[in-house]
């Protein structure tokens, strides 16, 4: 009986919540790469001070490992689980990163929040909610299920969503490129400045396109969307 109690206590201690903090020099980091099994990721862009990574280990058994290292110009934050058994690895991250750095995030599940950044954004999520309030120069995002909100996109990009609503806002009229959206189900709303010029194409099993900005077939900027079911609404800011 005592042996069983000791094993249970050891297991609980190994899974206990605790946070780990690490700091890096701000200069020289041009990319932040985050690989997480599950957990929320919050990234805030800063201009001065230190790059700070706070890893809150909600579930972190003996099969889980966490790496936080700077290699060259890349800050790598990596959570891995070895084997098929044992506790899940669930880590919430709160990160202050160089605002001009490119951001690459991959996670099995969990929300992604990005504020104050001014670089490229790549994300791959199994499920979760994405909220971005940043200057996004280049976008490539994939999500299995969950809503996506991006305020501050400046050019084209790619978004792929299994299910969920998408909301995108441009602060300035994009000059060229293509925003390509593929969705299984869910509505998409894109807000554009009034003087924007664009050409839109829309293919849906069921759904409608409404375009308040108007269509300019010869425009160098294009919006294309393919969806199983859902509407595309292009609105004026």
């Amino acid at each position: 009986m005592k042996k069983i109690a000791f094993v249970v206590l050891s297991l609980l201690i190994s899974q206990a919540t605790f946070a780990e903090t690490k700091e890096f020099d701000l200069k020289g980091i041009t990319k932040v790469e985050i690989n997480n099994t599950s957990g929320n990721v919050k990234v805030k862009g800063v201009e001065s001070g230190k790059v700070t990574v706070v890893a809150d280990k909600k579930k972190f058994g003996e099969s889980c490992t966490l790496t936080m290292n700077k290699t060259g110009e890349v800050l790598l934050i990596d959570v891995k689980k070895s084997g098929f058994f044992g506790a899940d690895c669930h880590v919430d991250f709160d990160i202050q990163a160089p605002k001009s750095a490119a951001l690459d995030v991959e996670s099995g599940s969990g929300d992604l929040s990005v504020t104050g950044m001014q670089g490229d954004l790549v994300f791959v999520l199994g499920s979760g909610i994405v909220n971005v309030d940043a200057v996004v120069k280049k976008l490539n995002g994939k999500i299995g299920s969950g809503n996506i909100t991006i305020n501050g996109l400046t050019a084209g990009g790619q978004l792929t969503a299994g299910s969920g609503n998408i909301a995108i806002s441009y602060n300035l009229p994009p000059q060229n490129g293509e925003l390509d959206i593929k969705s299984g189900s869910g509505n998409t709303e894109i807000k554009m400045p009034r003087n924007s010029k664009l050409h839109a194409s829309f293919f849906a099993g069921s759904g409608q396109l409404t375009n308040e900005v108007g269509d300019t077939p010869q425009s160098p900027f294009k919006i294309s969307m393919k969806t199983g079911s859902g509407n595309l609404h292009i609105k004026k800011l």
Side-chain angles (χ1 to χ4, degrees):
M1 188 68 179
K2 290 182 178 180
K3 185 177 181 180
I4 294 175
F6 176 78
V7 171
V8 172
L9 180 61
S10 298
L11 182 61
L12 290 174
I13 291 173
S14 69
Q15 296 182 26
T17 298
F18 61 98
E20 180 179 345
T21 302
K22 200 166 184 179
E23 292 185 342
F24 302 86
D25 289 333
L26 187 75
K27 294 182 179 179
I29 296 177
T30 61
K31 182 179 180 181
V32 178
E33 183 176 340
I34 304 163
N35 302 310
N36 198 10
T37 52
S38 67
N40 300 327
V41 176
K42 181 180 179 181
V43 183
K44 180 181 179 181
V46 294
E47 292 183 339
S48 59
K50 294 282 188 178
V51 172
T52 305
V53 181
V54 179
D56 190 359
K57 301 174 182 177
K58 300 295 187 181
K59 293 182 180 180
F60 205 81
E62 293 181 356
S63 60
C64 305
T65 58
L66 169 62
T67 302
M68 297 186 288
N69 286 327
K70 178 179 178 291
T71 303
E73 297 180 345
V74 179
L75 174 60
L76 175 62
I77 302 165
D78 187 54
V79 178
K80 287 183 179 179
K81 176 184 175 181
S82 60
F84 296 99
F85 303 101
D88 293 333
C89 310
H90 183 112
V91 184
D92 291 345
F93 286 100
D94 193 340
I95 303 167
Q96 290 190 349
K99 66 188 305 180
S100 60
L103 184 60
D104 190 335
V105 181
E106 184 172 351
S107 180
S109 63
D111 298 342
L112 172 63
S113 172
V114 181
T115 57
M117 298 293 286
Q118 294 183 354
D120 299 344
L121 173 61
V122 176
F123 65 84
V124 179
L125 300 181
S127 62
I129 297 173
V130 177
N131 281 299
V132 179
D133 189 358
V135 178
V136 181
K137 296 181 178 179
K138 187 177 180 181
L139 173 67
N140 191 338
K142 296 180 181 180
I143 190 168
S145 63
N147 296 332
I148 300 173
T149 301
I150 299 176
N151 295 317
L153 188 58
T154 62
Q158 295 181 334
L159 279 179
T160 303
S163 62
N165 297 324
I166 298 172
I168 299 173
S169 179
Y170 284 86
N171 295 330
L172 297 173
Q175 300 302 310
N176 51 55
E178 180 177 2
L179 177 60
D180 182 25
I181 300 172
K182 295 180 176 64
S183 172
S185 63
N187 297 320
T188 296
E189 180 182 89
I190 303 174
K191 294 181 179 180
M192 311 285 297
R194 291 180 176 273
N195 57 340
S196 298
K197 302 291 183 181
L198 61 92
H199 173 58
S201 62
F202 179 70
F203 302 92
S206 62
Q208 294 182 337
L209 165 66
T210 56
N211 186 356
E212 296 179 0
V213 176
D215 196 76
T216 305
Q218 303 304 319
S219 172
F221 179 72
K222 305 180 185 302
I223 295 176
S224 63
M225 180 173 175
K226 294 181 180 179
T227 181
S229 64
N231 300 318
L232 171 60
H233 192 187
I234 302 173
K235 299 179 66 175
K236 293 181 180 179
L237 279 175

